[in-house]
Amino acid sequence: MTRAYSVHGAGLGLRRDLLDPLAGARPDNIDFMEVAPENWINVGGALGKKFRKFTGQYPFVCHGLSLSIGAPAPLDEHFLLDVKQFLDQHQVRCYSEHLSYCGDDGHMYDLLPIPFTGEAVRYVAARIRRVQDILERRIAMENVSYYAAPSQQMTEIEFLTAVLEEADCDLLLDVNNIYVNSINHRYDAREFLAALPGERIAYGHIAGHYDEAADLKIDTHGADVKEDVWSLLDFAYRQFGVFPTLLERDFNIPPVDELLLEVNQIRDIQAKHSNPASEQDAALSA
Ligand SMILES: [Fe+2]
């Protein structure tokens, strides 16, 4: 499958507390970075200057927190115009959001699950189309982790693919979320992955989670990526070809050197799939 991605390789989420360590390390193994626009819109002064240095050095994507695409409240179109200006100002390559909502009103950053129903598909898809019109670009929606499925009339994969199709938007494929959901909701992660529309993948996420119990995983972004999730990423590349993939780490942040080891691990798996000879070796040794 060939697709022209707007970024490539392996990326890292840029947090404020990483600005100085990363500026000191100047890593050249990071191909792109991601920020939440909410954290940077209207940030000026010394902090804004540091940020602009990064956007001058690396390609950026944005992963929003507060669009609340599934909420009953009207879309905040003023906020979206601010986002559009931010995307243009920093030449952001892709804007993604969560396929969830943040409460009825206000901007809580808890991500709540949208009911898997046909009515919700139509409602959410219409709102995504409106967002794409305002931003004047395609956006990518992320498959989210969820711990309850209220009023469920269809499966998660049916819901996700129906929204992507009806909205005609791209997919931010979060591999860890698929793994976590597959354990918590008892389905086959590889089957789920294989049923996704690969041609819609804009980029991917990989992250660590917390093992609460054998049958309960919590998506925390606060630990190293687990082996099962690395192997699911490997499977995803085999299925769809290599797509740009970003490491998310929001809590228990290790030293930059350790974070970069995981970014390198993404690159190693990508390299394996970009080199047909090593793919063959892997197939022979399997
Ligand atoms: Fe994610």
Side-chain angles (χ1 to χ4, degrees):
M1 184 178 309
T2 50
R3 184 190 156 129
Y5 294 106
S6 57
V7 286
H8 73 277
L12 180 66
L14 181 63
R15 307 161 40 83
R16 285 188 187 186
D17 50 8
L18 285 177
L19 284 176
D20 289 336
L22 282 172
R26 290 186 167 275
D28 58 6
N29 53 349
I30 297 175
D31 298 303
F32 67 104
M33 290 187 172
E34 181 192 76
V35 285
E38 289 84 350
N39 292 340
W40 294 97
I41 285 173
N42 296 328
V43 171
L47 199 55
K49 203 169 160 192
K50 279 184 191 174
F51 177 61
R52 282 196 302 281
K53 199 158 179 203
F54 276 92
T55 58
Q57 284 174 337
Y58 295 92
F60 267 73
V61 295
C62 271
H63 189 42
L65 292 168
S66 60
L67 181 63
S68 204
I69 201 71
L75 283 170
D76 185 344
E77 299 200 353
H78 292 291
F79 164 71
L80 277 169
L81 289 172
D82 287 345
V83 169
K84 181 174 188 298
Q85 194 185 23
F86 182 84
L87 300 179
D88 291 340
Q89 187 186 350
H90 298 288
Q91 287 150 27
V92 172
R93 312 287 184 93
C94 178
Y95 174 69
S96 64
E97 252 288 355
H98 304 83
L99 187 52
S100 60
Y101 69 106
C102 330
D104 190 358
D105 203 4
H107 288 211
M108 301 184 328
Y109 287 165
D110 278 337
L111 301 172
L112 305 170
I114 300 169
F116 297 155
T117 66
E119 196 187 340
V121 168
R122 289 185 290 280
Y123 178 74
V124 169
R127 282 162 67 96
I128 296 171
R129 288 197 302 269
R130 176 73 186 140
V131 172
Q132 294 187 136
D133 284 349
I134 294 172
L135 296 180
E136 296 179 7
R137 69 200 79 200
R138 291 172 72 82
I139 67 169
M141 296 307 295
E142 180 185 38
N143 58 296
V144 294
S145 54
Y146 61 99
Y147 303 92
S151 315
Q152 183 165 5
Q153 290 170 3
M154 55 210 306
T155 62
E156 181 190 348
I157 189 70
E158 287 168 342
F159 178 75
L160 175 60
T161 52
V163 169
L164 297 173
E165 179 80 17
E166 190 156 333
D168 191 17
C169 67
D170 290 332
L171 168 68
L172 162 51
L173 196 171
D174 190 309
V175 175
N176 181 58
N177 288 350
I178 294 179
Y179 178 78
V180 164
N181 290 342
S182 76
I183 302 289
N184 295 344
H185 304 287
R186 295 170 183 74
Y187 61 73
D188 185 303
R190 283 172 168 72
E191 243 172 58
F192 183 98
L193 225 151
L196 288 170
E199 71 282 1
R200 292 191 186 272
I201 298 171
Y203 68 105
H205 272 172
I206 192 156
H209 61 261
Y210 177 67
D211 290 312
E212 177 81 31
D215 58 355
L216 179 59
K217 311 293 173 196
I218 310 288
D219 172 34
T220 57
H221 301 177
D224 292 351
V225 178
K226 302 271 165 57
E227 208 41 58
D228 285 343
V229 179
W230 285 123
S231 88
L232 197 56
L233 180 67
D234 185 83
F235 178 84
Y237 290 159
R238 210 178 316 144
Q239 199 70 27
F240 303 120
V242 170
F243 49 85
T245 304
L246 180 129
L247 175 70
E248 294 187 288
R249 185 72 183 247
D250 296 323
F251 301 100
N252 299 325
I253 314 277
V256 162
D257 289 358
E258 282 178 40
L259 275 180
L260 293 179
L261 287 178
E262 288 200 302
V263 175
N264 273 339
Q265 199 159 342
I266 297 173
R267 292 167 73 95
D268 288 348
I269 302 173
Q270 290 178 332
K272 189 180 101 180
H273 289 275
S274 303
N275 178 349
S278 51
E279 278 256 67
Q280 229 171 30
D281 291 346
L284 288 172
S285 65

